[in-house]
Amino acid sequence: MDLVLLCVFLPLVTVAWGQYGDYYYGPYNYGDNDEWVNVYRQGFNFQCPHGQVIVAVRSVFNKKEGSDRLWNYACMPAAQSLGEPTECWWEEINRAGTEWYQTCSNNGLVAGFQSQYFPSVLDREWQFYCCRYSRRCPYSCWLTTEYPGHYGEDMDMMMYTYDHYIRGATTTFSAVDR
């Protein structure tokens, strides 16, 4: 009986071990610490290369610069288990000066961002660049609440394993805090 169980489980362990390499990648390269995708109070457009998704987000806040943030992103190839990207698109715009919550439609993963700053409301509007892959992403989604905990905090969020993906974001907006 023990030999039968070994014969059944050994191939499963071998397959699982072979797939382990698809899931962990080392530290993310944001480039030079002074390299940001934007300057304060300016718009930007950032897209990962084809077949890659956003895996890290870094941001610093500056109240003196219009309560704006500098942004930087890191991309990595999507896990091989997802297959190839079948389509990519820009989602609807999330308007400045409002609270919003958005995830990529059609089982998409975030592969880029576009943003424009509006000095009249001291806020940004956002648009996500999403890509859908040939195999459905096996996940259950949840919203992280730890990055950043307060509007003025800096953030450095990284996906350490490829069983986590960025599917969307949410924001709060306060007319008092801006």
Side-chain angles (χ1 to χ4, degrees):
M1 182 68 169
D2 291 336
L3 185 57
V4 172
L5 286 175
L6 181 64
C7 290
V8 170
F9 288 114
L10 187 58
L12 293 174
V13 170
T14 305
V15 169
W17 186 264
Q19 291 177 351
Y20 179 75
D22 281 351
Y23 292 102
Y24 177 76
Y25 289 85
Y28 300 107
N29 181 10
Y30 285 108
D32 184 355
N33 283 339
D34 294 333
E35 280 185 39
W36 299 96
V37 299
N38 67 308
V39 295
Y40 290 113
R41 302 179 190 188
Q42 298 296 314
F44 67 88
N45 180 322
F46 178 86
Q47 289 178 296
C48 293
H50 184 72
Q52 295 189 17
V53 294
I54 301 281
V55 292
V57 180
R58 174 189 251 172
S59 178
V60 295
F61 177 81
N62 189 321
K63 189 167 183 105
K64 292 178 184 175
E65 291 289 345
S67 292
D68 196 16
R69 290 180 169 272
L70 295 176
W71 294 91
N72 201 343
Y73 305 100
C75 303
M76 292 293 282
Q80 292 176 356
S81 61
L82 292 178
E84 294 296 317
T86 57
E87 63 179 319
C88 296
W89 65 94
W90 286 101
E91 286 286 343
E92 292 184 24
I93 294 173
N94 297 297
R95 299 291 176 199
T98 63
E99 291 187 11
W100 52 264
Y101 169 85
Q102 183 174 1
T103 59
C104 288
S105 60
N106 203 16
N107 199 44
L109 303 176
V110 177
F113 295 99
Q114 185 169 272
S115 181
Q116 185 65 41
Y117 179 81
F118 288 88
S120 59
V121 289
L122 300 175
D123 196 21
R124 291 184 164 275
E125 72 178 17
W126 290 89
Q127 194 170 20
F128 298 174
Y129 184 67
C130 302
C131 293
R132 185 172 152 239
Y133 285 77
S134 58
R135 295 189 190 105
R136 184 165 174 85
C137 183
Y139 57 81
S140 60
C141 291
W142 72 92
L143 185 62
T144 181
T145 57
E146 55 190 280
Y147 299 107
H150 182 263
Y151 81 96
E153 289 180 15
D154 295 346
M155 76 183 266
D156 197 1
M157 182 179 76
M158 297 181 196
M159 304 296 131
Y160 287 103
T161 61
Y162 262 8
D163 56 350
H164 293 88
Y165 297 94
I166 297 176
R167 294 267 343 274
T170 188
T171 186
T172 58
F173 180 80
S174 166
V176 174
D177 292 328
R178 297 288 176 174

